[in-house]
Amino acid sequence: MESFLHNRVFALVAILFLCFNCKNEEETKVVKENSKPELIMHQPSEMANFMNGMYAYNMQLRQQIINGETPVVMPLDLMKLHSAEMSNGHSRTPVWNSFVNVFIEAQQSVVDTLSNIELKERYNSAINNCLACHKTECTGPIPKIKKLLIK
Ligand code: HEC
C-alpha cells in the first residue's frame, strides 16, 4: 500500500514536471487539485510549438552573431502569432496585442542589412520584446529566454 502511494506521488510529480511551461506556482497548485487524465496527454498547442520554433531560430541567430556572421534569412512565418491556437488558458489579451506587432518588427529588423543600428543591438531588442510580452503573458520560460541575450 505504501509503495503504491509512493508511486502515485512520483507519477504526480512527474506529470507536473512535464506540464511545466508557463505555469507559475499558483497555477500548478490548481493542476494538483483537479488532476485529470487529460493532463497526462498534455499536447503542446500550435502557439507553444511556434514559440519553440522562434526560440530555436533565435538561438541560431545568436550563435551566428557571436561568430561575426551577418544573418540574412528570417524563415519564420511571424503572422502565425496572429492566428495560432493557444493553450493553458492563454489568449490574445490587450497586453498581448500591445506587444505582438512591436515584437514582429523587432524580429524582422535583425536581418535588415540596410539598418544602421548595430546588429547585436537589434538582436537584443528582439529578445527584449519576447521578454516584455512574457512578463505578463507567460512567465515560465523567462529564464530560458534571458539566456538568448548577447552580453
Ligand atoms: C506577444 C506576446 C509574446 C511574444 C512577443 C513572445 N511570446 Fe513566447 N509565449 C507567449 C505566450 C502567451 C505563450 C504560451 C502559449 C501557449 O501555451 O499556447 C508563450 C510560450 C512560449 C514558450 C513556451 C512554449 C511551450 O513549450 O510551452 C517559449 C519557449 C517562448 N514562448 C519563447 C519565446 C521567444 C524566444 C520569443 C521571442 C523570439 C517569444 N516567446 C515571444 C507570449 C509571447
Side-chain angles (χ1 to χ4, degrees), residues 10-37:
F10 178 76
L12 190 63
V13 169
I15 291 159
L16 286 175
F17 196 71
L18 285 173
C19 291
F20 172 79
N21 39 43
C22 298
K23 295 177 183 69
N24 56 33
E25 271 167 62
E26 221 171 287
E27 281 169 298
T28 310
K29 239 187 268 157
V30 176
V31 172
K32 215 187 257 171
E33 276 157 21
N34 13 312
S35 207
K36 287 202 185 99

PDB file of all heavy atoms in Angstrom, residues 10-37:
ATOM      1  N   PHE A  10       4.981   9.939  -7.005  1.00  0.00           N
ATOM      2  CA  PHE A  10       6.038  10.094  -8.003  1.00  0.00           C
ATOM      3  C   PHE A  10       5.447  10.444  -9.368  1.00  0.00           C
ATOM      4  O   PHE A  10       5.905  11.357 -10.046  1.00  0.00           O
ATOM      5  CB  PHE A  10       6.862   8.797  -8.075  1.00  0.00           C
ATOM      6  CG  PHE A  10       7.938   8.871  -9.118  1.00  0.00           C
ATOM      7  CD1 PHE A  10       9.097   9.601  -8.886  1.00  0.00           C
ATOM      8  CD2 PHE A  10       7.760   8.250 -10.350  1.00  0.00           C
ATOM      9  CE1 PHE A  10      10.072   9.693  -9.852  1.00  0.00           C
ATOM     10  CE2 PHE A  10       8.727   8.335 -11.316  1.00  0.00           C
ATOM     11  CZ  PHE A  10       9.888   9.056 -11.072  1.00  0.00           C
ATOM     12  N   ALA A  11       4.383   9.707  -9.738  1.00  0.00           N
ATOM     13  CA  ALA A  11       3.749   9.953 -11.032  1.00  0.00           C
ATOM     14  C   ALA A  11       3.211  11.377 -11.101  1.00  0.00           C
ATOM     15  O   ALA A  11       3.369  12.063 -12.103  1.00  0.00           O
ATOM     16  CB  ALA A  11       2.623   8.954 -11.268  1.00  0.00           C
ATOM     17  N   LEU A  12       2.615  11.833 -10.019  1.00  0.00           N
ATOM     18  CA  LEU A  12       2.043  13.179  -9.999  1.00  0.00           C
ATOM     19  C   LEU A  12       3.144  14.221 -10.172  1.00  0.00           C
ATOM     20  O   LEU A  12       3.013  15.158 -10.946  1.00  0.00           O
ATOM     21  CB  LEU A  12       1.300  13.381  -8.669  1.00  0.00           C
ATOM     22  CG  LEU A  12       0.457  14.643  -8.606  1.00  0.00           C
ATOM     23  CD1 LEU A  12      -0.641  14.594  -9.652  1.00  0.00           C
ATOM     24  CD2 LEU A  12      -0.162  14.807  -7.230  1.00  0.00           C
ATOM     25  N   VAL A  13       4.238  14.006  -9.471  1.00  0.00           N
ATOM     26  CA  VAL A  13       5.365  14.939  -9.575  1.00  0.00           C
ATOM     27  C   VAL A  13       5.888  14.943 -11.010  1.00  0.00           C
ATOM     28  O   VAL A  13       6.133  15.995 -11.600  1.00  0.00           O
ATOM     29  CB  VAL A  13       6.485  14.549  -8.578  1.00  0.00           C
ATOM     30  CG1 VAL A  13       7.746  15.338  -8.860  1.00  0.00           C
ATOM     31  CG2 VAL A  13       6.022  14.789  -7.151  1.00  0.00           C
ATOM     32  N   ALA A  14       5.989  13.742 -11.602  1.00  0.00           N
ATOM     33  CA  ALA A  14       6.493  13.642 -12.967  1.00  0.00           C
ATOM     34  C   ALA A  14       5.566  14.371 -13.929  1.00  0.00           C
ATOM     35  O   ALA A  14       6.020  15.096 -14.817  1.00  0.00           O
ATOM     36  CB  ALA A  14       6.628  12.169 -13.365  1.00  0.00           C
ATOM     37  N   ILE A  15       4.264  14.204 -13.728  1.00  0.00           N
ATOM     38  CA  ILE A  15       3.298  14.857 -14.614  1.00  0.00           C
ATOM     39  C   ILE A  15       3.389  16.370 -14.477  1.00  0.00           C
ATOM     40  O   ILE A  15       3.430  17.090 -15.456  1.00  0.00           O
ATOM     41  CB  ILE A  15       1.860  14.373 -14.300  1.00  0.00           C
ATOM     42  CG1 ILE A  15       1.708  12.907 -14.719  1.00  0.00           C
ATOM     43  CG2 ILE A  15       0.826  15.227 -15.028  1.00  0.00           C
ATOM     44  CD1 ILE A  15       0.562  12.204 -14.034  1.00  0.00           C
ATOM     45  N   LEU A  16       3.469  16.826 -13.248  1.00  0.00           N
ATOM     46  CA  LEU A  16       3.564  18.265 -13.022  1.00  0.00           C
ATOM     47  C   LEU A  16       4.810  18.814 -13.697  1.00  0.00           C
ATOM     48  O   LEU A  16       4.803  19.873 -14.290  1.00  0.00           O
ATOM     49  CB  LEU A  16       3.612  18.572 -11.521  1.00  0.00           C
ATOM     50  CG  LEU A  16       2.279  18.400 -10.796  1.00  0.00           C
ATOM     51  CD1 LEU A  16       2.465  18.606  -9.318  1.00  0.00           C
ATOM     52  CD2 LEU A  16       1.243  19.387 -11.337  1.00  0.00           C
ATOM     53  N   PHE A  17       5.869  18.038 -13.634  1.00  0.00           N
ATOM     54  CA  PHE A  17       7.120  18.471 -14.231  1.00  0.00           C
ATOM     55  C   PHE A  17       6.981  18.569 -15.746  1.00  0.00           C
ATOM     56  O   PHE A  17       7.395  19.532 -16.355  1.00  0.00           O
ATOM     57  CB  PHE A  17       8.211  17.471 -13.842  1.00  0.00           C
ATOM     58  CG  PHE A  17       9.588  18.006 -14.065  1.00  0.00           C
ATOM     59  CD1 PHE A  17      10.074  19.007 -13.242  1.00  0.00           C
ATOM     60  CD2 PHE A  17      10.378  17.522 -15.082  1.00  0.00           C
ATOM     61  CE1 PHE A  17      11.329  19.520 -13.447  1.00  0.00           C
ATOM     62  CE2 PHE A  17      11.637  18.034 -15.294  1.00  0.00           C
ATOM     63  CZ  PHE A  17      12.118  19.036 -14.465  1.00  0.00           C
ATOM     64  N   LEU A  18       6.332  17.566 -16.335  1.00  0.00           N
ATOM     65  CA  LEU A  18       6.138  17.547 -17.783  1.00  0.00           C
ATOM     66  C   LEU A  18       5.259  18.698 -18.253  1.00  0.00           C
ATOM     67  O   LEU A  18       5.430  19.218 -19.339  1.00  0.00           O
ATOM     68  CB  LEU A  18       5.503  16.221 -18.220  1.00  0.00           C
ATOM     69  CG  LEU A  18       6.443  15.023 -18.229  1.00  0.00           C
ATOM     70  CD1 LEU A  18       5.662  13.748 -18.504  1.00  0.00           C
ATOM     71  CD2 LEU A  18       7.530  15.199 -19.285  1.00  0.00           C
ATOM     72  N   CYS A  19       4.293  19.036 -17.414  1.00  0.00           N
ATOM     73  CA  CYS A  19       3.352  20.085 -17.803  1.00  0.00           C
ATOM     74  C   CYS A  19       3.938  21.474 -17.588  1.00  0.00           C
ATOM     75  O   CYS A  19       3.352  22.456 -17.978  1.00  0.00           O
ATOM     76  CB  CYS A  19       2.061  19.981 -17.003  1.00  0.00           C
ATOM     77  SG  CYS A  19       1.134  18.537 -17.441  1.00  0.00           S
ATOM     78  N   PHE A  20       5.072  21.532 -16.955  1.00  0.00           N
ATOM     79  CA  PHE A  20       5.627  22.842 -16.634  1.00  0.00           C
ATOM     80  C   PHE A  20       5.956  23.602 -17.907  1.00  0.00           C
ATOM     81  O   PHE A  20       6.717  23.146 -18.718  1.00  0.00           O
ATOM     82  CB  PHE A  20       6.895  22.688 -15.792  1.00  0.00           C
ATOM     83  CG  PHE A  20       7.621  23.993 -15.601  1.00  0.00           C
ATOM     84  CD1 PHE A  20       7.171  24.897 -14.662  1.00  0.00           C
ATOM     85  CD2 PHE A  20       8.702  24.307 -16.386  1.00  0.00           C
ATOM     86  CE1 PHE A  20       7.806  26.102 -14.512  1.00  0.00           C
ATOM     87  CE2 PHE A  20       9.347  25.523 -16.233  1.00  0.00           C
ATOM     88  CZ  PHE A  20       8.890  26.419 -15.291  1.00  0.00           C
ATOM     89  N   ASN A  21       5.311  24.688 -18.140  1.00  0.00           N
ATOM     90  CA  ASN A  21       5.761  25.589 -19.190  1.00  0.00           C
ATOM     91  C   ASN A  21       5.519  27.014 -18.739  1.00  0.00           C
ATOM     92  O   ASN A  21       6.417  27.647 -18.239  1.00  0.00           O
ATOM     93  CB  ASN A  21       5.141  25.263 -20.551  1.00  0.00           C
ATOM     94  CG  ASN A  21       3.688  24.864 -20.443  1.00  0.00           C
ATOM     95  OD1 ASN A  21       2.935  25.478 -19.707  1.00  0.00           O
ATOM     96  ND2 ASN A  21       3.304  23.842 -21.164  1.00  0.00           N
ATOM     97  N   CYS A  22       4.286  27.490 -18.863  1.00  0.00           N
ATOM     98  CA  CYS A  22       4.035  28.865 -18.465  1.00  0.00           C
ATOM     99  C   CYS A  22       3.587  28.952 -17.028  1.00  0.00           C
ATOM    100  O   CYS A  22       3.461  30.028 -16.486  1.00  0.00           O
ATOM    101  CB  CYS A  22       2.926  29.468 -19.304  1.00  0.00           C
ATOM    102  SG  CYS A  22       3.352  29.511 -21.005  1.00  0.00           S
ATOM    103  N   LYS A  23       3.253  27.850 -16.444  1.00  0.00           N
ATOM    104  CA  LYS A  23       2.569  27.884 -15.155  1.00  0.00           C
ATOM    105  C   LYS A  23       3.452  28.448 -14.058  1.00  0.00           C
ATOM    106  O   LYS A  23       4.584  28.039 -13.906  1.00  0.00           O
ATOM    107  CB  LYS A  23       2.139  26.469 -14.783  1.00  0.00           C
ATOM    108  CG  LYS A  23       1.111  25.941 -15.732  1.00  0.00           C
ATOM    109  CD  LYS A  23       0.765  24.508 -15.377  1.00  0.00           C
ATOM    110  CE  LYS A  23      -0.215  23.934 -16.354  1.00  0.00           C
ATOM    111  NZ  LYS A  23       0.357  23.725 -17.671  1.00  0.00           N
ATOM    112  N   ASN A  24       2.902  29.357 -13.301  1.00  0.00           N
ATOM    113  CA  ASN A  24       3.603  29.778 -12.108  1.00  0.00           C
ATOM    114  C   ASN A  24       3.112  28.892 -10.970  1.00  0.00           C
ATOM    115  O   ASN A  24       2.231  28.059 -11.170  1.00  0.00           O
ATOM    116  CB  ASN A  24       3.353  31.261 -11.816  1.00  0.00           C
ATOM    117  CG  ASN A  24       1.883  31.569 -11.708  1.00  0.00           C
ATOM    118  OD1 ASN A  24       1.104  30.748 -11.263  1.00  0.00           O
ATOM    119  ND2 ASN A  24       1.504  32.741 -12.145  1.00  0.00           N
ATOM    120  N   GLU A  25       3.658  29.051  -9.804  1.00  0.00           N
ATOM    121  CA  GLU A  25       3.333  28.118  -8.721  1.00  0.00           C
ATOM    122  C   GLU A  25       1.849  28.069  -8.384  1.00  0.00           C
ATOM    123  O   GLU A  25       1.307  27.020  -8.099  1.00  0.00           O
ATOM    124  CB  GLU A  25       4.137  28.458  -7.469  1.00  0.00           C
ATOM    125  CG  GLU A  25       5.467  27.732  -7.461  1.00  0.00           C
ATOM    126  CD  GLU A  25       6.384  28.285  -6.421  1.00  0.00           C
ATOM    127  OE1 GLU A  25       6.017  28.200  -5.247  1.00  0.00           O
ATOM    128  OE2 GLU A  25       7.451  28.818  -6.770  1.00  0.00           O
ATOM    129  N   GLU A  26       1.227  29.224  -8.446  1.00  0.00           N
ATOM    130  CA  GLU A  26      -0.185  29.296  -8.104  1.00  0.00           C
ATOM    131  C   GLU A  26      -0.999  28.390  -9.024  1.00  0.00           C
ATOM    132  O   GLU A  26      -1.853  27.645  -8.578  1.00  0.00           O
ATOM    133  CB  GLU A  26      -0.657  30.731  -8.270  1.00  0.00           C
ATOM    134  CG  GLU A  26      -1.594  31.177  -7.172  1.00  0.00           C
ATOM    135  CD  GLU A  26      -1.832  32.663  -7.314  1.00  0.00           C
ATOM    136  OE1 GLU A  26      -0.904  33.437  -7.004  1.00  0.00           O
ATOM    137  OE2 GLU A  26      -2.910  33.023  -7.779  1.00  0.00           O
ATOM    138  N   GLU A  27      -0.688  28.468 -10.319  1.00  0.00           N
ATOM    139  CA  GLU A  27      -1.425  27.662 -11.283  1.00  0.00           C
ATOM    140  C   GLU A  27      -1.131  26.180 -11.100  1.00  0.00           C
ATOM    141  O   GLU A  27      -1.994  25.349 -11.276  1.00  0.00           O
ATOM    142  CB  GLU A  27      -1.072  28.083 -12.710  1.00  0.00           C
ATOM    143  CG  GLU A  27      -1.791  29.348 -13.129  1.00  0.00           C
ATOM    144  CD  GLU A  27      -1.245  29.907 -14.424  1.00  0.00           C
ATOM    145  OE1 GLU A  27      -0.048  30.269 -14.432  1.00  0.00           O
ATOM    146  OE2 GLU A  27      -1.984  29.955 -15.401  1.00  0.00           O
ATOM    147  N   THR A  28       0.115  25.867 -10.717  1.00  0.00           N
ATOM    148  CA  THR A  28       0.497  24.480 -10.526  1.00  0.00           C
ATOM    149  C   THR A  28      -0.348  23.844  -9.426  1.00  0.00           C
ATOM    150  O   THR A  28      -0.745  22.699  -9.537  1.00  0.00           O
ATOM    151  CB  THR A  28       1.988  24.377 -10.153  1.00  0.00           C
ATOM    152  OG1 THR A  28       2.713  25.136 -11.088  1.00  0.00           O
ATOM    153  CG2 THR A  28       2.467  22.940 -10.178  1.00  0.00           C
ATOM    154  N   LYS A  29      -0.634  24.631  -8.403  1.00  0.00           N
ATOM    155  CA  LYS A  29      -1.445  24.139  -7.302  1.00  0.00           C
ATOM    156  C   LYS A  29      -2.828  23.713  -7.807  1.00  0.00           C
ATOM    157  O   LYS A  29      -3.350  22.683  -7.422  1.00  0.00           O
ATOM    158  CB  LYS A  29      -1.598  25.239  -6.244  1.00  0.00           C
ATOM    159  CG  LYS A  29      -1.051  24.799  -4.889  1.00  0.00           C
ATOM    160  CD  LYS A  29      -1.363  25.843  -3.829  1.00  0.00           C
ATOM    161  CE  LYS A  29      -0.239  26.858  -3.664  1.00  0.00           C
ATOM    162  NZ  LYS A  29      -0.657  28.122  -3.101  1.00  0.00           N
ATOM    163  N   VAL A  30      -3.382  24.534  -8.674  1.00  0.00           N
ATOM    164  CA  VAL A  30      -4.698  24.237  -9.236  1.00  0.00           C
ATOM    165  C   VAL A  30      -4.647  22.913  -9.993  1.00  0.00           C
ATOM    166  O   VAL A  30      -5.526  22.078  -9.860  1.00  0.00           O
ATOM    167  CB  VAL A  30      -5.158  25.377 -10.177  1.00  0.00           C
ATOM    168  CG1 VAL A  30      -6.471  25.004 -10.834  1.00  0.00           C
ATOM    169  CG2 VAL A  30      -5.291  26.674  -9.396  1.00  0.00           C
ATOM    170  N   VAL A  31      -3.570  22.710 -10.745  1.00  0.00           N
ATOM    171  CA  VAL A  31      -3.417  21.474 -11.506  1.00  0.00           C
ATOM    172  C   VAL A  31      -3.440  20.280 -10.558  1.00  0.00           C
ATOM    173  O   VAL A  31      -4.091  19.279 -10.814  1.00  0.00           O
ATOM    174  CB  VAL A  31      -2.094  21.487 -12.298  1.00  0.00           C
ATOM    175  CG1 VAL A  31      -1.837  20.122 -12.928  1.00  0.00           C
ATOM    176  CG2 VAL A  31      -2.140  22.554 -13.376  1.00  0.00           C
ATOM    177  N   LYS A  32      -2.752  20.418  -9.424  1.00  0.00           N
ATOM    178  CA  LYS A  32      -2.652  19.325  -8.468  1.00  0.00           C
ATOM    179  C   LYS A  32      -4.033  18.946  -7.934  1.00  0.00           C
ATOM    180  O   LYS A  32      -4.354  17.781  -7.802  1.00  0.00           O
ATOM    181  CB  LYS A  32      -1.748  19.756  -7.309  1.00  0.00           C
ATOM    182  CG  LYS A  32      -0.906  18.616  -6.748  1.00  0.00           C
ATOM    183  CD  LYS A  32      -0.175  19.059  -5.498  1.00  0.00           C
ATOM    184  CE  LYS A  32       1.272  19.348  -5.759  1.00  0.00           C
ATOM    185  NZ  LYS A  32       1.961  19.964  -4.637  1.00  0.00           N
ATOM    186  N   GLU A  33      -4.827  19.971  -7.672  1.00  0.00           N
ATOM    187  CA  GLU A  33      -6.130  19.723  -7.073  1.00  0.00           C
ATOM    188  C   GLU A  33      -7.099  18.988  -7.998  1.00  0.00           C
ATOM    189  O   GLU A  33      -7.791  18.083  -7.578  1.00  0.00           O
ATOM    190  CB  GLU A  33      -6.759  21.042  -6.600  1.00  0.00           C
ATOM    191  CG  GLU A  33      -6.246  21.426  -5.223  1.00  0.00           C
ATOM    192  CD  GLU A  33      -6.378  22.903  -4.959  1.00  0.00           C
ATOM    193  OE1 GLU A  33      -7.191  23.572  -5.624  1.00  0.00           O
ATOM    194  OE2 GLU A  33      -5.649  23.414  -4.087  1.00  0.00           O
ATOM    195  N   ASN A  34      -7.167  19.417  -9.266  1.00  0.00           N
ATOM    196  CA  ASN A  34      -8.082  18.692 -10.155  1.00  0.00           C
ATOM    197  C   ASN A  34      -7.311  17.942 -11.228  1.00  0.00           C
ATOM    198  O   ASN A  34      -7.544  18.108 -12.410  1.00  0.00           O
ATOM    199  CB  ASN A  34      -9.153  19.589 -10.798  1.00  0.00           C
ATOM    200  CG  ASN A  34      -8.858  21.035 -10.635  1.00  0.00           C
ATOM    201  OD1 ASN A  34      -8.542  21.463  -9.549  1.00  0.00           O
ATOM    202  ND2 ASN A  34      -8.939  21.799 -11.676  1.00  0.00           N
ATOM    203  N   SER A  35      -6.343  17.166 -10.770  1.00  0.00           N
ATOM    204  CA  SER A  35      -5.554  16.374 -11.695  1.00  0.00           C
ATOM    205  C   SER A  35      -6.462  15.381 -12.430  1.00  0.00           C
ATOM    206  O   SER A  35      -7.104  14.542 -11.824  1.00  0.00           O
ATOM    207  CB  SER A  35      -4.493  15.606 -10.902  1.00  0.00           C
ATOM    208  OG  SER A  35      -3.402  15.357 -11.730  1.00  0.00           O
ATOM    209  N   LYS A  36      -6.513  15.528 -13.744  1.00  0.00           N
ATOM    210  CA  LYS A  36      -7.375  14.662 -14.557  1.00  0.00           C
ATOM    211  C   LYS A  36      -6.537  14.001 -15.639  1.00  0.00           C
ATOM    212  O   LYS A  36      -5.487  14.501 -15.999  1.00  0.00           O
ATOM    213  CB  LYS A  36      -8.465  15.522 -15.213  1.00  0.00           C
ATOM    214  CG  LYS A  36      -9.525  15.993 -14.218  1.00  0.00           C
ATOM    215  CD  LYS A  36     -10.798  16.350 -14.949  1.00  0.00           C
ATOM    216  CE  LYS A  36     -11.824  16.942 -14.013  1.00  0.00           C
ATOM    217  NZ  LYS A  36     -11.852  18.408 -14.085  1.00  0.00           N
ATOM    218  N   PRO A  37      -7.039  12.869 -16.174  1.00  0.00           N
ATOM    219  CA  PRO A  37      -6.253  12.151 -17.177  1.00  0.00           C
ATOM    220  C   PRO A  37      -5.808  13.007 -18.368  1.00  0.00           C
ATOM    221  O   PRO A  37      -4.744  12.783 -18.907  1.00  0.00           O
ATOM    222  CB  PRO A  37      -7.197  11.041 -17.648  1.00  0.00           C
ATOM    223  CG  PRO A  37      -8.144  10.842 -16.529  1.00  0.00           C
ATOM    224  CD  PRO A  37      -8.269  12.153 -15.834  1.00  0.00           C
TER     225      PRO A  37
END
